[in-house]
Amino acid sequence: MTPPIAPATPTLYDRDLALWYADTLAKLKAGELHGLDIDHLIEEIESLAARDRRELKNRLKVLLAHLLKRIYIASPEYYRSWENTIDEQREQLQDILSQSPSLHAYFGSVFDEVWQRALKQVRNDYPQVSFPDQWPFSQEPEALLTQTFWLTDPRD
């Protein structure tokens, strides 16, 4: 008869994540690489990278949705609110791209997907408004993060 396998003792990572972070950081700073929990460290770094990409996509979606509202919906009483949201999303996206310039390529690669999500949202919220099927302006991050598109005729 095989003896029962004793349950594994929970690791520091499993017991107290904040303490695991502190311990891992201290070991890294001290150059104690032999004592690192490499598997969980890899998992955490992958999670951070995924979080940054997810945040970029979410903020881009909010930006595009509010740009669509500001450009195509004639509701002056909401313009300031939409512009404030546009400014906030732009600032946050600029911070993300400044901290991780390599995400510029990711920005371009997810634009079409994010555009479709933003377009679906505003079409659901404003079924009476005719929104374009394609983004009529530049998709370049610099343009999206700086241009006042509502002052430009999208047909130009």
Side-chain angles (χ1 to χ4, degrees):
M1 177 173 202
T2 307
I5 300 174
T9 304
T11 65
L12 180 58
Y13 182 85
D14 298 320
R15 290 189 321 266
D16 188 333
L17 190 58
L19 186 57
W20 179 86
Y21 287 140
D23 180 65
T24 300
L25 185 57
K27 286 177 181 172
L28 286 168
K29 285 181 177 181
E32 296 176 17
L33 305 182
H34 65 278
L36 288 174
D37 177 354
I38 297 296
D39 291 337
H40 285 122
L41 184 56
I42 291 168
E43 182 180 319
E44 288 298 315
I45 292 172
E46 286 174 339
S47 175
L48 288 173
R51 183 203 66 199
D52 288 349
R53 290 188 302 270
R54 201 170 37 251
E55 183 173 353
L56 185 144
K57 284 174 71 172
N58 289 336
R59 291 194 178 276
L60 180 56
K61 178 182 175 258
V62 173
L63 173 62
L64 289 172
H66 280 76
L67 284 169
L68 283 167
K69 292 175 194 180
R70 181 58 184 89
I71 295 165
Y72 293 99
I73 299 172
S75 293
E77 67 274 16
Y78 295 112
Y79 287 173
R80 190 69 232 139
S81 173
W82 292 334
E83 290 171 16
N84 287 339
T85 299
I86 290 166
D87 290 344
E88 176 63 22
Q89 297 313 304
R90 284 176 164 174
E91 184 177 312
Q92 294 300 322
L93 282 163
Q94 287 167 343
D95 287 348
I96 292 168
L97 293 171
S98 173
Q99 184 177 22
S100 301
S102 62
L103 288 177
H104 274 85
Y106 182 74
F107 189 106
S109 72
V110 298
F111 182 88
D112 290 335
E113 171 196 344
V114 175
W115 162 257
Q116 290 302 318
R117 290 173 48 209
L119 183 59
K120 179 180 178 184
Q121 176 189 331
V122 295
R123 282 181 170 164
N124 286 339
D125 292 344
Y126 299 92
Q128 73 283 9
V129 177
S130 178
F131 295 103
D133 291 329
Q134 300 296 320
W135 177 248
F137 304 102
S138 173
Q139 295 180 13
E140 291 298 315
E142 180 64 26
L144 286 163
L145 299 178
T146 61
Q147 289 184 8
T148 311
F149 296 110
W150 52 92
L151 298 179
T152 307
D153 187 338
R155 296 167 295 197
D156 288 342

